[in-house]
Structures are given as structure tokens and as C-alpha cells.
Amino acid sequence: MEKIYKFCQSCGMPLKKDVKGGGTNADGSKNLKFCSLCYADGKFTRPDFTAKQMQELVKGKMKEMGIPGFLTPFFTYGIPKLERWRN
Ligand SMILES: [Zn+2]
């Protein structure tokens, strides 16, 4: 059984909110571990990113969405614990 992920294991976005419903594998199938912004055609869209850079990017995105700054650490705090950033 494949594990079901609720959140993208790269940026922490709820996969339900992903307009494309997940990333895409090299063969065109859906990747349900990462969102479409992080993972496309079997590769990470930002392969050189660190967890810290991802946190900054997500904070910036949330600001664009009008989410108050004091709330963003709550959402980005868990990013380094996601599967992409372990080891
Ligand atoms: Zn993502």
C-alpha cells in the first residue's frame, strides 16, 4: 500500500489545495507525495533548495496570499521535518 500524504513533503502545502492535485512523475502519472509547484516531470522544480530556503519561499507566498506574518512561522515550522529534508 502506498502511503497517503496530506501535505506536500517538500513545502508542506495541503495537497488538497493543489490545483493540479499533486506533482507529476517522469511518465506523466501523478505524484502524490509532492505538490505540482515542487515536483514536475519527475524532478524537483527547485533541486538546489534547502529547507531554510523553502521556508522563506513559503513565507513569501503566504504574504502574497494575505496571510498575516505572525501566522507564517506556524505553517513553515514543520518544513524541515518533511521527507524531502530528512537525512
Ligand atoms: Zn510542495
Side-chain angles (χ1 to χ4, degrees):
M1 270 291 274
E2 226 180 305
K3 199 170 165 186
I4 310 282
Y5 293 94
K6 263 187 167 166
F7 301 97
C8 169
Q9 294 300 303
S10 165
C11 70
M13 175 170 88
L15 287 166
K16 259 193 202 160
K17 299 242 167 170
D18 188 347
V19 283
K20 293 181 188 159
T24 46
N25 294 314
D27 62 5
S29 62
K30 280 265 167 273
N31 183 298
L32 299 175
K33 197 190 250 189
F34 302 112
C35 74
S36 60
L37 299 174
C38 293
Y39 201 78
D41 302 322
K43 316 187 268 275
F44 285 113
T45 54
R46 296 175 183 87
D48 303 326
F49 251 39
T50 62
K52 182 109 192 99
Q53 285 173 301
M54 184 57 79
Q55 285 177 309
E56 291 308 314
L57 181 87
V58 172
K59 279 181 195 168
K61 284 245 185 284
M62 291 204 286
K63 214 173 185 181
E64 278 171 32
M65 287 159 69
I67 295 170
F70 71 89
L71 281 176
T72 57
F74 174 77
F75 289 101
T76 57
Y77 170 78
I79 287 177
K81 296 198 180 79
L82 297 171
E83 284 198 11
R84 181 178 174 186
W85 314 111
R86 286 185 204 158
N87 326 295

